[in-house]
Amino acid sequence: MILFRWLFLMLLLGMALCLAAYTITGHPAWRQRAVQLLRWSVVLGLGFFGLLILRRAAVFI
């Protein structure tokens, strides 16, 4: 579980840095990278909560 948290924090930090680079340079590639990192953060978050739900459901099986 701690791996998910660290990956999530690193993805959000990378997204923040990409948005800062986009703000400074105005180059659209930085914004695209930030959006892609946001998408992967959402996927990772969904995977994390899915894993939590499966662990709780295993008790009932």
Side-chain angles (χ1 to χ4, degrees):
M1 290 294 171
I2 191 122
L3 179 67
F4 278 105
R5 291 177 187 167
W6 277 107
L7 283 174
F8 188 71
L9 287 174
M10 290 298 124
L11 284 171
L12 289 181
L13 178 65
M15 185 188 72
L17 291 174
C18 286
L19 283 175
Y22 171 69
T23 303
I24 292 169
T25 63
H27 197 270
W30 289 110
R31 183 178 171 271
Q32 290 173 346
R33 290 179 186 135
V35 169
Q36 188 173 13
L37 285 172
L38 178 64
R39 287 179 188 158
W40 280 109
S41 298
V42 169
V43 168
L44 184 68
L46 289 174
F48 175 75
F49 286 112
L51 183 63
L52 282 178
I53 291 168
L54 284 176
R55 286 181 64 186
R56 300 269 184 191
V59 175
F60 298 115
I61 295 175

